[in-house]
Amino acid sequence: CNTLWHRENMTEQNPPAGTLLQLRDVNLVYRALPALRDIELSIESGQQWACLGPNGAGKTSLARVISRQATHFSGELLRSAELESKGVAYVCFEQAKALCERDKKLDDSEFRADASDPGTTVQSLILDGHEPDESFHHWVDRLRIGHILQRGLRFISTGEMRKTLLIKAILSAPGLLILDSPLDGLDRNSQLEMRQIIDELLHSSMTLLLLCRQMSDVPTGISHMLVLDGGSVLARGSRDMVFTDQAVDALMHPAIAELAELPPAAPRPYSIDDSIPLLELRNVNVDYGELQVLHNVNWTLGRDSHCCVSGPNGCGKTTLLSLVTGDNHKAYGQDITLFGIRRGSGESVWDIKQKYGQLDTQLHLNFARGMRVVEVVVSGFFDTIGLFDEWGDAQREVAEQWLTALGLAQYRREGFDALSFGLQRMVLLARAMVKSPVILLLDEPTLGLDGHHRKLMLRAIDHIAANSDNQIIFVSHSAGDTPACINQHLEFKPKDRGFELVSRSLSPPT
């Protein structure tokens, strides 16, 4: 960048009177790629803003500049004395990831008598050394997280983490609160609750900046909007003006590319009896201390089943999945049969995992940097995050066939980092399929995607289900955003103080 403004230079000038924040000609380059171009923005006192744009538009980069997480940019960032005093609170998924990684590094469970290290608890993160007061108890009750206050951050769900970080941010009484896709990772009831809370905050004295991927996510309490496209400003002005802009509508509702024929299935180095179910769980129970996560769970996944697993935050979906993928030691001693083999009868975790193709947000965020798209897809042959084994033309050909099948052929030589978040997620779907898994396990595959890429993902999953012998397990917080191929629904429903798992068959799609 030219003319870098470092932290110590940013407060030498104040914005005009009545202006909370001002950006002048801001440019940001990330990993040698332009992330922001010539950004002009002025947030006045009393205004409530939303930044709208698809995956890869530059919303997160803008938030990082405003919150001073990114300092090496060109241009000017001017903040009022009030904003300097109160600070900026930024609630995002990356914040949750960083906190969990820190606790993982500091984990000393192997040196403890109980072999358990909870790490940073929910309560200690929120209070940050302060004593609990009336406001603390109000928000804990409002967001219904009292039962997890003493639980470690690594042992709560995505939705529970989002609620925890929101409470911490609100209690800090910031001069500006930035919320990145605040509805992501929440179940249906929690989304309704979050919308109400955001509406209240928008009508309070607190100034908000919401980062939104869809027009439907912009609350009516927003007064002004900034629309980004490829790091540049496409539109800026009042909410009503932006919503009627035809260029904005075209950006948020692009045409969908055609899908191609799926490649032939890759040879599998194993065989499974066609007459038996793929997965069978009978009266399975999982407890962690006094906390009962699963109670008398019964589930059979047959050869013709495409199953949606849904339920509210913290109900046990992740625990259930870890039992069938071999990651949870609590599967031993229970009546669990995977691909015809009783769990604990001598099979290895890798014997189980080779039969799955997996896609989840954690894999996405942890994926190795500096790889080309075709290399990312090839890594699916080896179940590695990165390429560490020898590979050749045969694997490349299959990888390119899958990219073509999912409408991604033009990106095969691109750097994975250069793609938008939504396109990266589609590439990882191709990665999950190259080895022709028996089960394609998709844990919240549309999480973090804008409306366009959500449609692409759901259509691609239906394409795979209709044209291969793979069975789908699709995990979601609710049954509303699922592919059409789903014919079995496994739902966690509240019962007493826990959850009951209810299975039902669905009519086949027409």
Side-chain angles (χ1 to χ4, degrees):
C1 293
N2 298 320
T3 317
L4 296 181
W5 285 74
H6 298 284
R7 185 180 300 268
E8 63 269 19
N9 301 118
M10 292 179 186
T11 58
E12 290 186 357
Q13 299 182 56
N14 288 322
T19 301
L20 190 69
L21 173 80
Q22 192 171 60
L23 281 75
R24 299 175 181 168
D25 193 29
V26 167
N27 291 267
L28 175 68
V29 175
Y30 180 69
R31 295 184 183 274
L33 298 170
L36 295 174
R37 309 167 191 254
D38 306 321
I39 301 297
E40 302 279 344
L41 175 65
S42 181
I43 298 180
E44 310 294 326
S45 298
Q47 295 178 346
Q48 300 288 16
W49 280 77
C51 180
L52 176 69
N55 293 122
K59 302 183 297 297
T60 298
S61 296
L62 177 68
R64 285 176 53 80
V65 169
I66 292 174
S67 62
R68 289 185 174 166
Q69 293 183 21
T71 57
H72 286 74
F73 59 89
S74 64
E76 297 179 77
L77 168 63
L78 308 179
R79 308 198 331 179
S80 68
E82 177 187 2
L83 187 56
E84 286 296 333
S85 173
K86 293 184 176 181
V88 176
Y90 177 27
V91 178
C92 59
F93 191 86
E94 288 74 15
Q95 181 185 11
K97 178 190 174 188
L99 288 168
C100 290
E101 287 181 345
R102 182 194 66 181
D103 272 15
K104 188 175 181 179
K105 289 180 180 179
L106 297 175
D107 188 341
D108 64 352
S109 55
E110 61 181 304
F111 304 109
R112 291 174 172 245
D114 59 359
S116 176
D117 177 15
T120 306
T121 65
V122 168
Q123 178 165 312
S124 63
L125 178 71
I126 293 174
L127 292 176
D128 194 23
H130 297 89
E131 291 297 319
D133 57 12
E134 183 178 345
S135 184
F136 167 80
H137 292 298
H138 165 77
W139 285 108
V140 165
D141 292 341
R142 182 73 185 278
L143 287 167
R144 293 179 293 180
I145 64 166
H147 63 291
I148 64 168
L149 287 178
Q150 302 309 319
R151 202 177 299 176
L153 298 179
R154 290 175 295 157
F155 308 103
I156 61 177
S157 70
T158 302
E160 290 167 340
M161 175 66 89
R162 187 168 288 275
K163 294 178 181 181
T164 297
L165 294 175
L166 177 61
I167 294 176
K168 177 179 175 61
I170 291 175
L171 294 183
S172 70
L176 176 65
L177 174 59
I178 305 176
L179 301 179
D180 190 346
S181 303
L183 302 181
D184 273 8
L186 299 180
D187 58 65
R188 184 174 299 173
N189 290 335
S190 294
Q191 284 189 6
L192 293 173
E193 189 175 57
M194 184 65 73
R195 288 183 186 273
Q196 293 175 354
I197 290 173
I198 291 173
D199 186 63
E200 292 176 17
L201 293 174
L202 288 171
H203 290 87
S204 71
S205 59
M206 186 179 294
T207 302
L208 270 67
L209 170 60
L210 302 184
L211 309 185
C212 303
R213 299 189 190 94
Q214 303 179 86
M215 298 177 78
S216 59
D217 290 339
V218 180
T220 56
I222 289 295
S223 61
H224 291 74
M225 292 181 62
L226 177 74
V227 182
L228 296 179
D229 178 19
S232 299
V233 175
L234 176 66
R236 177 178 47 235
S238 69
R239 183 183 188 276
D240 292 341
M241 184 187 75
V242 169
F243 263 52
T244 57
D245 190 317
Q246 292 184 354
V248 174
D249 185 70
L251 171 69
M252 301 308 296
H253 302 97
I256 297 180
E258 293 296 322
L259 297 178
E261 184 178 352
L262 299 186
R268 293 167 177 160
Y270 53 83
S271 60
I272 302 173
D273 188 341
D274 291 339
S275 65
I276 61 174
L278 297 175
L279 308 176
E280 289 184 282
L281 286 74
R282 304 181 188 87
N283 299 319
V284 171
N285 297 277
V286 174
D287 300 309
Y288 292 99
E290 298 180 356
L291 177 66
Q292 185 169 49
V293 180
L294 299 178
H295 176 64
N296 287 341
V297 168
N298 291 277
W299 177 30
T300 299
L301 182 74
R303 284 283 186 167
D304 57 349
S305 297
H306 299 301
C307 182
C308 172
V309 181
S310 71
N313 299 122
C315 66
K317 298 188 297 295
T318 300
T319 299
L320 177 66
L321 297 183
S322 67
L323 292 175
V324 301
T325 58
D327 290 322
N328 196 324
H329 68 279
K330 290 185 177 291
Y332 293 105
Q334 306 221 46
D335 195 350
I336 298 177
T337 302
L338 309 178
F339 309 105
I341 301 175
R342 176 72 177 262
R343 190 74 176 98
S345 60
E347 82 291 1
S348 71
V349 170
W350 295 110
D351 290 332
I352 298 171
K353 285 186 175 296
Q354 69 176 335
K355 301 176 178 68
Y356 286 98
Q358 291 187 245
L359 171 58
D360 56 57
T361 302
Q362 199 61 41
L363 168 71
H364 189 165
L365 293 177
N366 288 335
F367 211 85
R369 300 292 182 182
M371 297 178 65
R372 288 179 297 153
V373 165
V374 68
E375 293 171 335
V376 170
V377 179
V378 167
S379 71
F381 284 107
F382 310 105
D383 287 319
T384 55
I385 300 179
L387 268 179
F388 309 100
D389 296 275
E390 293 292 331
W391 60 287
D393 292 341
Q395 285 114 334
R396 179 194 296 276
E397 182 178 357
V398 174
E400 292 185 347
Q401 288 174 349
W402 270 104
L403 289 170
T404 300
L406 299 183
L408 303 167
Q410 67 268 37
Y411 304 110
R412 64 186 184 278
R413 291 188 175 86
E414 297 282 344
F416 184 69
D417 298 346
L419 300 187
S420 70
F421 187 90
L423 286 176
Q424 288 178 352
R425 187 65 61 86
M426 292 293 295
V427 169
L428 291 176
L429 177 61
R431 174 188 179 273
M433 285 302 302
V434 289
K435 65 177 181 178
S436 295
V438 177
I439 294 178
L440 179 59
L441 178 53
L442 306 167
D443 191 352
E444 295 286 352
T446 60
L447 184 66
L449 301 188
D450 57 45
H452 172 67
H453 287 97
R454 183 176 285 110
K455 290 178 183 178
L456 286 179
M457 176 62 70
L458 295 177
R459 186 185 62 156
I461 294 168
D462 281 327
H463 188 47
I464 290 170
N467 297 285
S468 72
D469 65 348
N470 303 102
Q471 306 310 128
I472 308 294
I473 299 179
F474 185 97
V475 183
S476 174
H477 285 303
S478 65
D481 193 17
T482 58
C485 65
I486 296 300
N487 56 19
Q488 182 187 49
H489 188 194
L490 203 62
E491 183 178 11
F492 285 86
K493 291 189 173 182
K495 182 179 181 180
D496 300 327
R497 294 187 177 182
F499 295 92
E500 176 186 23
L501 195 59
V502 178
S503 177
R504 59 189 176 93
S505 298
L506 304 177
S507 300
T510 58

